[in-house]
Amino acid sequence: MAEPKRLGDLLKEQGLLTDHKINVAIEQQKITNDLLGVTFIKLGFVSSAEVAKALSEQAGIPYLNLYEHPIADEALRKVPKDVAERVGFMPIDYKEGRLSIGIINPSNVLAVDTATQLTNMAPDVYVIDSDAFYDLLDRAYFFLQHPVLARLASAVDAIKKASTVSAAQISTLTELIITDAIRRNATDLHITPEKQAVHVFYRIDGVLQHGHCYPKTGQNGVISKIKVMAELDIAEQRLPQDGSFSFTFLNKTYEMRVSTIPTIYGENVVIRILSGSGPLVRLSSLGFAAEDTRLLDALFKKPYGIILITGPTGSGKTTSLYAALREINILEKNVLTVEDPVEYRLSLVKQTAVNAKSGYDFAMAGRNFMRQDPDVILLGEIRDTETAKIAVRASVTGHLVMSTLHTNDAISAIPRLIDLGVDRFLLSSSLLAVISQRLVRKICPHCKTAYRPTEDEQHRLKFAGIDDQITTAFKGAGCSNCNSKGYIGRTVIGEILVVDDEIKDLVSTGASIKSIKEAATGKGMRFLREDGMRNVAKGITTIDEILRVAG
């Protein structure tokens, strides 16, 4: 019987490691005494998910992405937290007397034995990645033992009955609203006052969802509490204000960006929740078509020029930039980044965060990066004339510059940069490509059903400029796995404008957007809606989702 392949060999075969990277990891391991697999992850050579998938293949045990699979309360109740933590497994599901468990180490026989003893039945076993295990274990048991929805209902009821709302009641309600946003993996929290009540909404997977409602008697107190946390002026209610604060939950710190505006029913508050470092992915995992992934891989390996990613806030631009950085050989190239804030931490990459109070912005970072002997520069965002000109100057002097821009599509990035004062000739000679992207929700695989699109859907597609004739589409019926939403997780749809010689000439001579679009179309450029319909045909997402995001 052949011996199983070693982890390092498996990762090398998959193109995730090289001998050079392994040697560097061994050198660091001598200092830290960590396991070699852990060192690979800490250096950013591979992600914990990639290690888990390799271990899964090595052991012949299926891999499960815990971030896209809900953890059942019934499973958690079957296994005490101290047992799960000590033995090293995550209870995932419990059906018909059988546990499903996730393990980091495929050779963890004790986990299988423990689960068997607890249920008198051998469990279904999956390999999960270590980041997901440590991130979600405490959270899952915390919310089981401290049901936020019940506590929120109790807090709202107490405020409703109180003749005078106390500071303690306001503090509790505010903390529970924020904690529930974290529980739901929301990116934004909206506190919206109306005439008779205050409504709380959460943006989850790009869509606003109603969360709670609490009495008007608690309105000013909650807003004042948030203002105090964000160091804003609680007396100023007539003008918009912006601020931020840090919120620590289960030893993890979340950065909260606060914005207030006056409305006819009181101040409206929106909190952007930045959860810090998330799971690192590669270009091939983002969701682009295979041919587009190969094109992107080639583009990000160019020695100089500018590559831009465009899209609205929350469309995954930073994730795509970091996926691209992972394709660059950081052992041979000096990579510097400036962001607001640093969302992912990547070893051997020099990362800085802007600081408005000290005057350290993207433009200042871009100027000073040139003295740091860079090969690749990542500017978190081009938002003003100076940053745009610095990016162009850096690219024409032999550096690869990666950044983001807020435009609705790829081609619109060209007039936007010209509007920022970038010279047409310099732009045409420096711009390599523009990628425009959106995130769409994926159909829940547990309740996915096929159906024939209705006449109304076909009409809406035609109205949106989509001529594709879809005979079979898919949607999620809604089940316990997706909280009856019909969707689990998100994937990317995108369009890529490659600036070749013909388009360079069009840009430098001031050709119209229509001319550039016709030239790009003639070379096979696929636009957002078309890429979205590719995902509809494959059963990845729904017609409604494509029309919502790109229609």
Side-chain angles (χ1 to χ4, degrees):
M1 184 176 176
E3 286 189 16
K5 292 180 181 177
R6 292 184 303 176
L7 177 63
D9 293 333
L10 273 173
L11 293 169
K12 278 177 64 179
E13 283 180 11
Q14 294 170 9
L16 302 176
L17 280 181
T18 62
D19 288 329
H20 190 187
K21 288 181 177 179
I22 291 172
N23 291 335
V24 170
I26 290 171
E27 287 298 310
Q28 176 160 315
Q29 186 193 30
K30 292 175 184 176
I31 305 297
T32 62
N33 295 321
D34 287 328
L35 293 172
L36 192 57
V38 173
T39 306
F40 292 150
I41 294 170
K42 286 185 175 179
L43 282 168
F45 295 159
V46 293
S47 68
S48 61
E50 288 163 346
V51 169
K53 288 173 186 175
L55 289 171
S56 162
E57 182 182 329
Q58 186 184 50
I61 301 172
Y63 167 77
L64 182 72
N65 181 353
L66 210 54
Y67 288 111
E68 292 190 0
H69 196 289
I71 298 167
D73 287 350
E74 294 83 358
L76 296 171
R77 290 191 184 101
K78 286 290 176 183
V79 184
K81 184 190 174 188
D82 62 323
V83 173
E85 208 163 18
R86 174 169 46 83
V87 178
F89 72 95
M90 172 71 85
I92 298 170
D93 209 349
Y94 183 71
K95 290 180 180 175
E96 298 177 357
R98 186 189 298 273
L99 264 177
S100 295
I101 64 170
I103 54 177
I104 300 169
N105 182 355
S107 60
N108 188 349
V109 179
L110 181 58
V112 178
D113 289 344
T114 302
T116 304
Q117 289 171 9
L118 290 168
T119 61
N120 296 317
M121 189 180 290
D124 292 325
V125 182
Y126 299 90
V127 174
I128 59 175
D129 70 84
S130 56
D131 282 356
F133 175 76
Y134 292 116
D135 185 25
L136 298 178
L137 183 72
D138 283 344
R139 278 183 54 158
Y141 277 101
F142 177 88
F143 289 122
L144 177 70
Q145 295 159 6
H146 305 87
V148 172
L149 294 181
R151 293 171 66 201
L152 259 166
S154 176
V156 169
D157 192 51
I159 289 174
K160 186 178 177 181
K161 292 177 180 176
S163 55
T164 304
V165 182
S166 69
Q169 288 173 320
I170 289 296
S171 184
T172 298
L173 178 61
T174 306
E175 186 172 324
L176 286 171
I177 288 171
I178 295 173
T179 302
D180 195 38
I182 293 170
R183 180 185 71 87
R184 296 169 183 250
N185 295 317
T187 55
D188 299 87
L189 159 60
H190 293 239
I191 298 175
T192 304
E194 288 297 323
K195 186 175 182 179
Q196 295 181 306
V198 181
H199 293 264
V200 177
F201 292 85
Y202 299 106
R203 187 172 295 281
I204 302 165
D205 286 340
V207 179
L208 272 184
Q209 297 180 16
H210 188 269
H212 316 286
C213 193
Y214 65 89
K216 290 286 282 185
T217 51
Q219 175 177 324
N220 292 336
V222 170
I223 292 171
S224 293
K225 173 67 176 175
I226 292 170
K227 282 184 170 183
V228 168
M229 294 164 76
E231 298 182 353
L232 301 178
D233 183 357
I234 61 171
E236 180 56 77
Q237 299 178 4
R238 299 166 300 173
L239 295 173
Q241 294 189 70
D242 293 304
S244 65
F245 65 93
S246 296
F247 186 84
T248 301
F249 177 71
L250 295 178
N251 298 317
K252 184 173 181 179
T253 300
Y254 297 80
E255 187 69 19
M256 305 288 181
R257 302 290 177 86
V258 179
S259 172
T260 72
I261 61 166
T263 73
I264 57 173
Y265 294 120
E267 288 181 282
N268 190 85
V269 177
V270 175
I271 302 176
R272 177 81 170 166
I273 303 169
L274 301 170
S275 58
S277 182
L280 286 168
V281 296
R282 293 190 182 272
L283 283 174
S284 56
S285 304
L286 293 175
F288 287 104
E291 62 270 24
D292 287 344
T293 300
R294 287 191 291 270
L295 174 59
L296 290 173
D297 186 54
L299 285 168
F300 283 110
K301 285 179 178 171
K302 295 278 188 181
Y304 54 85
I306 297 178
I307 301 175
L308 295 174
I309 300 183
T310 76
T313 300
S315 58
K317 299 187 295 295
T318 303
T319 300
S320 295
L321 282 177
Y322 268 87
L325 278 186
R326 295 193 69 205
E327 306 303 324
I328 293 169
N329 188 345
I330 55 176
L331 295 179
E332 295 181 358
K333 293 193 174 183
N334 184 23
V335 180
L336 295 97
T337 80
V338 57
E339 302 158 74
D340 182 23
V342 175
E343 292 185 36
Y344 297 91
R345 282 160 175 75
L346 201 56
S347 293
L348 304 179
V349 172
K350 278 62 75 179
Q351 299 172 270
T352 67
V354 297
N355 188 326
K357 290 182 180 177
S358 64
Y360 182 58
D361 57 12
F362 291 113
M364 178 182 281
R367 285 195 304 271
N368 287 278
F369 277 3
M370 300 303 291
R371 304 188 191 103
Q372 288 280 313
D373 184 31
D375 294 296
V376 179
I377 296 173
L378 189 157
L379 298 173
E381 184 183 346
I382 293 176
R383 58 174 65 161
D384 55 42
T385 298
E386 189 177 3
T387 308
K389 289 182 176 179
I390 287 167
V392 169
R393 200 174 303 128
S395 67
V396 296
T397 53
H399 307 89
L400 180 65
V401 178
M402 301 154 60
S403 191
T404 68
L405 197 65
H406 285 284
T407 62
N408 288 328
D409 55 38
I411 294 173
S412 297
I414 293 170
R416 172 70 179 134
L417 288 169
I418 292 169
D419 184 54
L420 284 173
V422 176
D423 179 79
R424 286 182 182 276
F425 176 75
L426 287 178
L427 179 60
S428 67
S429 60
S430 62
L431 191 61
L432 291 173
V434 184
I435 303 122
S436 181
Q437 67 177 56
R438 302 289 189 278
L439 291 177
V440 295
R441 292 178 292 174
K442 295 190 293 185
I443 300 170
C444 171
H446 305 284
C447 60
K448 182 163 82 171
T449 56
Y451 74 101
R452 186 175 182 82
T454 64
E455 282 188 23
D456 178 59
E457 285 177 319
Q458 296 283 17
H459 178 73
R460 287 165 63 205
L461 287 172
K462 191 172 182 180
F463 182 75
I466 301 170
D467 295 325
D468 304 47
Q469 290 297 311
I470 300 290
T471 56
T472 303
F474 301 85
K475 62 183 176 182
C479 65
S480 59
N481 291 294
C482 60
N483 291 322
S484 301
K485 298 296 181 186
Y487 299 97
I488 289 183
R490 290 192 288 178
T491 190
V492 75
I493 61 170
E495 59 186 34
I496 305 170
L497 171 67
V498 178
V499 183
D500 61 7
D501 288 342
E502 181 184 351
I503 292 178
K504 284 180 188 290
D505 287 342
L506 291 171
V507 173
S508 63
T509 55
S512 66
I513 292 295
K514 182 181 178 183
S515 300
I516 295 173
K517 187 173 183 177
E518 287 173 353
T521 304
K523 297 172 188 300
M525 178 180 171
R526 184 172 55 240
F527 297 97
L528 275 171
R529 295 188 189 99
E530 297 169 282
D531 194 44
M533 294 309 293
R534 170 185 65 87
N535 283 286
V536 169
K538 285 186 172 183
I540 296 171
T541 191
T542 64
I543 291 174
D544 281 345
E545 189 67 0
I546 295 305
L547 291 171
R548 178 184 72 84
V549 170

